[in-house]
Amino acid sequence: VGVIGVEKEPAWVPESINLQLASAARIYDYFLGGAHNFAVDRDLARQILALVPGSALSAQANRAFLHRAVRYLVAQGVRQFIDIGSGIPTSGNVHEVAQQLDPGARVLYVDRDPIAVAHSETIIGDNPNVGVLQADLRRPKDILQAPELHDLIDPAEPVAVLMVAVLHFLAPGDRPEELIAQFHAAAAPGSYLVLSHGHSEKLHRSGNLDVLSPDDREVLNLYQQTSGGITLRSHAQIQQLFDGWALVEPGLVWVPQWRPGWPDEVGPDPASSSVVGGVARRI
Ligand SMILES: C[S@@+](CC[C@H](N)C(=O)[O-])C[C@H]1O[C@@H](n2cnc3c(N)ncnc32)[C@H](O)[C@@H]1O
């Protein structure tokens, strides 16, 4: 029986979850129309949507970029994927997109969020080519040395490392470039990095939150209430994260501009996605 004012936990909620703290994974799930979110997440997501109504479209544009990138990589011959910050499974998960093109494609999902991990385990079922690991990208060894990774990923073969809409949840002090370097070192020749990232040029040119519109500023404040907070980076800062990797055409662009399936897929205002993305081959 639910207590008034306290949300009743659905059966799929792991015990360790704090239902009073919003999570980025579940806000994103809400933006994508998913059902694995709580009142605290929906509350924050609705406040964000009221301030920046394009937030849900931006999540969808990011997701569509991920799908096109995976299809591109399978076409390049990549058959193994490490999807870090994979999120709560929703339509078009990486293994579904890749295995549609090659049923033998292997995917390891990694997320620090227990809901994302628990739900990933449920949808994977007994698919022998898919695994899931609860780990934090800020501790790359927890991922690179995990038995779950070694069960699925052959270190001698090219691998695609996906960091899609996850790095903006790392603070500057987390030194994302050093974390990526550890994956670069472990990846075989011919491997790829796929990255997308929340972007603000204005913010970085001035270094001052005052340059943002009051609504954008408020959205950043709202994200600080989630379990991770958010750090937007400039184009140059995001480009630097590809150090040691060569960007394939068209480079680092607004996500709707990355190899659209058809010309109209770009939409009239790609910059409104506020997310840039790129795919790069290991040098
Ligand atoms: C916006 S979702 C992106 C999901 C998916 N990659 C996509 O683009 O559709 C970001 C995910 O990153 C996860 N995340 C944030 N920081 C992380 C960290 N340090 N280590 C692992 N996962 C993290 C969150 O839990 C969330 O599930």
Side-chain angles (χ1 to χ4, degrees):
V1 178
V3 179
I4 292 171
V6 176
E7 189 170 22
K8 187 171 177 288
E9 288 185 27
W12 46 264
V13 177
E15 272 171 22
S16 57
I17 293 297
N18 177 355
L19 289 185
Q20 309 312 314
L21 184 63
S23 108
R26 301 190 308 255
I27 291 173
Y28 186 71
D29 177 66
Y30 179 83
F31 285 158
L32 292 175
H36 292 87
N37 44 68
F38 306 130
V40 65
D41 309 305
R42 291 190 289 274
D43 239 41
L44 210 68
R46 286 181 193 132
Q47 290 182 58
I48 293 171
L49 282 175
L51 293 162
V52 180
S55 300
L57 281 178
S58 155
Q60 288 158 22
N62 175 68
R63 195 77 192 161
F65 158 75
L66 169 66
H67 295 163
R68 295 194 302 276
V70 169
R71 285 196 290 267
Y72 168 83
L73 292 168
V74 176
Q76 303 312 303
V78 175
R79 290 295 178 272
Q80 37 181 20
F81 297 81
I82 307 175
D83 184 3
I84 305 176
S86 49
I88 295 169
T90 178
S91 70
N93 298 300
V94 169
H95 75 284
E96 291 158 350
V97 176
Q99 291 181 352
Q100 223 166 38
L101 300 172
D102 183 336
R106 284 160 283 129
V107 179
L108 177 69
Y109 291 113
V110 182
D111 206 291
R112 69 171 174 194
D113 184 295
I115 299 274
V117 170
H119 194 47
S120 299
E121 279 165 352
T122 310
I123 62 142
I124 287 165
D126 53 9
N127 189 328
N129 289 331
V130 190
V132 58
L133 170 68
Q134 183 169 358
D136 195 313
L137 168 56
R138 292 171 297 179
R139 287 191 297 278
K141 287 198 172 63
D142 290 359
I143 301 173
L144 289 166
Q145 296 175 355
E148 288 86 344
L149 185 139
H150 292 282
D151 287 350
L152 270 180
I153 308 294
D154 179 349
E157 252 186 61
V159 64
V161 178
L162 313 182
M163 297 188 186
V164 179
V166 58
L167 292 166
H168 45 239
F169 298 114
L170 301 191
D174 292 327
R175 308 200 63 86
E177 63 286 356
E178 288 175 13
L179 306 176
I180 295 171
Q182 296 195 42
F183 289 92
H184 181 277
S191 293
Y192 285 86
L193 173 67
V194 180
L195 194 155
S196 74
H197 199 298
H199 168 273
S200 174
E201 208 59 50
K202 259 197 299 195
L203 188 59
H204 284 276
R205 240 179 270 134
S206 74
N208 186 339
L209 277 180
D210 295 344
V211 293
L212 297 180
S213 72
D215 286 354
D216 286 348
R217 240 179 0 239
E218 184 55 25
V219 166
L220 283 189
N221 283 335
L222 288 171
Y223 268 111
Q224 301 313 323
Q225 293 173 27
T226 64
S227 38
I230 197 160
T231 302
L232 300 179
R233 293 183 169 85
S234 69
H235 197 278
Q237 286 174 319
I238 299 168
Q239 186 110 23
Q240 274 166 19
L241 298 175
F242 286 99
D243 193 27
W245 309 78
L247 278 157
V248 304
E249 285 296 318
L252 182 64
V253 292
W254 297 114
V255 281
Q257 294 172 319
W258 197 88
R259 296 179 183 250
W262 60 95
D264 285 356
E265 198 179 4
V266 180
D269 182 14
S272 65
S273 67
S274 305
V275 179
V276 292
V279 175
R281 197 164 196 269
R282 188 187 191 284
I283 299 171

